[in-house]
Amino acid sequence: MATVNVTLSLSSTDLFAKQNISFTETDVLTPAGDQIIVGRLVTTGSGTEDNIALKALDGTNDRAYVFLHNLSTTTGEYIKIGLCAAHGTDSASGDWFAVLGPGEFMFMPTGDMQDIDIEAAAGNPVVEYILMEKAA
């Protein structure tokens, strides 16, 4: 069975006036569903929603992990991320739940996976993505 090692560290000595923060969380994920996808998407530009087409998760209570990374290094080439209500449709206008600036990434668990919409603010940033389903 495949495993994925995940580590997230957050630390700062000056974010809060009177408190330092230092958190490190690690986990070993075992993707086991029929959806394991890796790819790159070259966005078509500002005002156009590009779509990463996914099929619905198969089982009851199945979960998935999604990794998205804006590979751009150009100022202003941020991307907006939205989930579609149903496979093959666009997300609702302005229904974005995340914005990734140049070089930024996100990793999130999800349970109700639909298609993912990505819209570039400017230019044609490239988005790297991984979806890993974990059967319940």
Side-chain angles (χ1 to χ4, degrees), residues 2-18:
T3 59
V4 177
N5 298 305
V6 179
T7 302
L8 175 66
S9 295
L10 301 173
S11 64
S12 178
T13 58
D14 58 2
L15 178 63
F16 299 105
K18 296 181 180 183

Side-chain angles (χ1 to χ4, degrees), residues 33-56:
D34 63 342
Q35 289 251 42
I36 298 178
I37 302 167
V38 63
R40 285 185 176 204
L41 173 70
V42 178
T43 59
T44 52
S46 179
T48 303
E49 292 181 5
D50 296 295
N51 188 272
I52 299 173
L54 307 167
K55 65 180 192 171

